[in-house]
Amino acid sequence: MTQPPARLLLRNCCLLHPTEPPQQVDIAIDGDRIGAIAPHLDEPAEVELNVRGQIVSPPFVESHIHLDSALTVGEPRWNESGTLFEGIDIWRERKQTLTLADVKERAIATLKQQAMQGVLFVRTHADVSEQTLTALQGLLEVRDAVRDWITVQVVAFPQDGVYGSPKNEELLEEALRLGADAVGGIPHYELTREDGVRSVHRIFELAAQYDRLIDIHCDEIDDDQARFLEVMVACAIRSGMGSRVAASHTTAFHSYNNAYAFKLMGFLQRTDINFIANPLINITLQGRSDTYPKRRGVTRVKELWQQGQNVSLGHDCVQDPWYGLGTGNMLDVASMAIHVCQMTGSAEMDACYNMVTWNGAKTLQVEDRYGIEVGKPANLVVLDADSRYDALRRRATVRHVISQGRLIAQTEPPRSQWMVADESTPALNMPSILMQP
Ligand code: 17E
Ligand code: FE2
């Protein structure tokens, strides 16, 4: 890779802050680090970029994606029922044909697509119930190959269950020996409730033994009796590992009766586990066994956020057996959360933006390397927007992506032209729309 310039100066930035109002500043990047931030910087720079008051944000964080299955939609067939379970069956067929090259090519193509849209931190699951561990090995190689421009964490994820077939428990442990960053699980898909409980205990044990993070696909079902989150919470309280633990999906939380949900919310206050919701995918996967009314099946994001739990958001899938759509854009994810979780208040929208940035960094435990502060690695994005709200509403283009001091991608926003000949026709009475389609 090319060396970053000795000094890069970003002028007229609207610098976002997680909780305070934005600041108008210049930002100097020295090598791969943030060198200075001040209302006006005079020192000369090798390269200057006037960002003209647009927002400058730390990069997007993808807290939950499956890069091993990305870009396989339709292979060997389309998911016609749209359910999680048909998706698992299709993937079980597709994973028989995995090769290292296949996994790596699709993962890197997806990561580039993400990085061009401002994502510089990614947590991916790798299916380790695939008996050759090709998905895992491919993603571990990718993690190392891309580390100059994007940070990737790999979760060892037993898609078919830790106890779903005899070798799976051993494969999960082997994945940790090979270097997976986190241990995963899928308790609601174990053959019995007892197996589900046992799998959560085993995951906590392995995480402690190998000193790894935990990220469990937990209660991703509309069954109000799927109650493995309480087992995770109990293990987190007893082990004190909460901040290193993430509960992904937890869609059954949507369906719990309120008496139980409120009790659980109380227990949650005794631990700092992280929640990861995947609204794009769960709004399509869940509710499939309902007629009407049809449940939304996304976890209680608003209530968890109101209670001060750390919630981040994931895209989950890009064109795979569970979701045929998507480009990896985290503003799409935040926008879906705003709609599905009814977080349309002004502070609520800002919170949804934070769920794809700062909160994700907390979930991934990369806060020491994340954020636009003097001395930290220079990872940031410039958006074609003047606020979080503006960025979310228009799914603003990410104009510039700077990773470790290097400009790695830039995109021109689309510009529309009004082509009607009659000049007296009032085009649109909102000039900003003409300027910013
Ligand atoms: N596997 C799973 O168990 N749940 C999901 N949402 C996806 C894969 C995408
Ligand atoms: Fe997932």
Side-chain angles (χ1 to χ4, degrees):
M1 257 220 190
T2 50
Q3 288 296 310
R7 174 163 260 230
L8 168 66
L9 196 54
L10 301 182
R11 291 228 178 264
N12 303 313
C13 306
C14 175
L15 176 61
L16 293 185
H17 185 276
T19 51
E20 306 289 323
Q23 287 172 286
Q24 300 300 319
V25 292
D26 293 346
I27 301 173
I29 296 172
D30 292 322
D32 60 357
R33 307 253 146 197
I34 307 281
I37 302 173
H40 184 76
L41 290 169
D42 286 325
E43 307 94 290
E46 216 178 309
V47 180
E48 277 201 25
L49 190 62
N50 187 347
V51 307
R52 298 175 203 284
Q54 297 175 112
I55 57 175
V56 175
S57 168
F60 293 113
V61 179
E62 170 57 87
S63 3
H64 186 123
I65 192 166
H66 297 255
L67 289 176
D68 52 358
S69 55
L71 311 183
T72 64
V73 65
E75 300 171 11
R77 62 200 157 81
W78 200 269
N79 183 340
E80 296 295 346
S81 71
T83 59
L84 169 65
F85 302 113
E86 183 174 348
I88 293 177
D89 290 341
I90 294 170
W91 173 240
R92 193 174 293 121
E93 287 175 46
R94 178 59 174 82
K95 71 192 181 192
Q96 308 307 320
T97 64
L98 289 179
T99 62
L100 276 180
D102 167 39
V103 172
K104 288 162 69 176
E105 258 168 47
R106 287 183 290 98
I108 289 179
T110 309
L111 286 166
K112 278 194 186 152
Q113 205 170 294
Q114 293 172 283
M116 286 192 286
Q117 299 179 90
V119 178
L120 293 181
F121 293 87
V122 173
R123 175 178 285 181
T124 178
H125 295 260
D127 183 1
V128 297
S129 51
E130 177 274 297
Q131 305 285 309
T132 60
L133 291 184
T134 305
L136 178 88
Q137 281 170 356
L139 293 184
L140 290 178
E141 286 181 30
V142 166
R143 176 187 70 186
D144 297 338
V146 301
R147 62 166 32 116
D148 277 352
W149 53 274
I150 194 164
T151 298
V152 175
Q153 287 180 355
V154 179
V155 184
F157 170 53
Q159 175 71 80
D160 299 332
V162 179
Y163 304 112
S165 54
K167 263 186 76 184
N168 287 6
E169 186 182 1
E170 174 51 29
L171 286 167
L172 180 60
E173 187 163 359
E174 178 62 11
L176 301 180
R177 283 189 217 106
L178 291 171
D181 302 280
V183 202
I186 183 164
H188 55 278
Y189 192 58
E190 298 289 349
L191 288 168
T192 64
R193 191 183 57 80
E194 288 80 0
D195 282 357
V197 172
R198 190 155 66 100
S199 74
V200 174
H201 286 288
R202 182 72 186 128
I203 289 158
F204 271 78
E205 220 172 75
L206 286 167
Q209 186 183 338
Y210 288 86
D211 190 23
R212 303 299 154 84
L213 304 170
I214 292 174
D215 189 333
I216 299 180
H217 279 65
C218 190
D219 302 325
E220 189 187 12
I221 188 165
D222 293 322
D223 175 9
D224 62 351
Q225 298 299 314
R227 292 181 175 186
F228 299 103
L229 176 57
E230 70 179 20
V231 184
M232 287 188 69
V233 172
C235 290
I237 291 172
R238 291 182 189 131
S239 66
M241 288 166 69
S243 62
R244 290 168 62 79
V245 175
S248 277
H249 296 290
T250 63
T251 59
F253 210 158
H254 184 98
S255 294
Y256 294 157
N257 67 71
N258 283 332
Y260 177 70
F262 292 164
K263 179 193 78 169
L264 191 57
M265 288 296 256
F267 289 172
L268 283 173
Q269 288 176 326
R270 294 163 54 186
T271 174
D272 44 2
I273 73 168
N274 305 287
F275 282 83
I276 303 172
N278 299 287
L280 285 175
I281 274 57
N282 288 125
I283 196 60
T284 59
L285 289 182
Q286 309 315 129
R288 292 282 180 165
S289 56
D290 293 352
T291 53
Y292 290 92
K294 206 181 265 296
R295 283 169 288 179
R296 300 177 188 208
V298 174
T299 196
R300 301 191 188 200
V301 171
K302 192 196 299 204
E303 293 72 16
L304 290 166
W305 167 70
Q306 283 170 338
Q307 184 169 289
Q309 312 290 149
N310 187 51
V311 182
S312 58
L313 303 175
H315 203 298
D316 203 9
C317 309
V318 174
Q319 295 188 284
D320 74 5
W322 294 275
Y323 187 68
L325 303 168
T327 65
N329 186 326
M330 297 311 291
L331 290 173
D332 285 347
V333 178
S335 175
M336 185 56 78
I338 289 170
H339 289 80
V340 174
C341 308
Q342 299 187 323
M343 294 190 67
T344 50
S346 162
E348 291 168 354
M349 288 204 204
D350 283 356
C352 288
Y353 185 94
N354 289 5
M355 289 178 195
V356 292
T357 48
W358 288 276
N359 298 13
K362 188 166 183 189
T363 301
L364 268 59
Q365 298 270 288
V366 294
E367 285 172 295
D368 57 330
R369 285 173 277 155
Y370 186 86
I372 304 174
E373 293 162 36
V374 174
K376 282 200 169 170
N379 296 312
L380 57 85
V381 296
V382 181
L383 286 111
D384 175 39
D386 60 19
S387 66
R388 280 176 252 233
Y389 159 63
D390 189 30
L392 289 162
R393 184 181 73 83
R394 294 187 298 105
R395 302 298 198 288
T397 303
V398 177
R399 295 280 286 113
H400 308 284
V401 182
I402 294 177
S403 173
Q404 298 169 37
R406 287 188 209 91
L407 180 63
I408 63 161
Q410 34 188 24
T411 306
E412 284 296 322
R415 295 279 172 218
S416 302
Q417 250 185 301
W418 185 249
M419 301 296 284
V420 177
D422 179 7
E423 290 298 323
S424 65
T425 307
L428 286 166
N429 58 9
M430 288 183 288
S432 68
I433 286 185
L434 283 177
M435 301 298 293
Q436 302 173 326

